[in-house]
Amino acid sequence: NGQEIEGESYFGNYKEVGGVLFAHSLENKAAGMPGGMTFTLDKIEVNPDVPAEPFRKPQAAKPAGAKPQ
């Protein structure tokens, strides 16, 4: 709790996606300690089509007790 720990990160399993090499695995661990965790990516997409709806600004909420017009 509240203790700083130096960490190490290792990127690997590089594969070409859309003409660019991307690491498909990342290992994180505390420096000098055994163990750690490895993240493995199965798929990377470059510039996929994403619907705009989830990023739209929500409508302003009406104040509580406001009278309808």
Side-chain angles (χ1 to χ4, degrees), residues 13 24-26 38-43:
N13 193 20
H24 281 67
S25 69
L26 168 62
T38 301
F39 299 91
T40 303
L41 302 172
D42 295 323
K43 180 179 179 183

Side-chain angles (χ1 to χ4, degrees), residues 6-68:
E6 189 173 322
E8 299 172 347
S9 296
Y10 301 96
F11 296 85
N13 193 20
Y14 284 87
K15 297 177 186 175
E16 187 174 328
V17 180
V20 178
L21 287 175
F22 287 94
H24 281 67
S25 69
L26 168 62
E27 181 182 354
N28 286 322
K29 64 180 187 173
M33 300 294 290
M37 63 181 116
T38 301
F39 299 91
T40 303
L41 302 172
D42 295 323
K43 180 179 179 183
I44 294 177
E45 294 182 58
V46 177
N47 295 324
D49 288 329
V50 178
E53 185 60 32
F55 302 100
R56 289 209 171 106
K57 184 177 178 181
Q59 294 181 352
K62 295 180 182 176
K67 295 180 183 177

Side-chain angles (χ1 to χ4, degrees), residues 1-7 30:
N1 258 332
Q3 180 180 351
E4 285 191 30
I5 299 174
E6 189 173 322

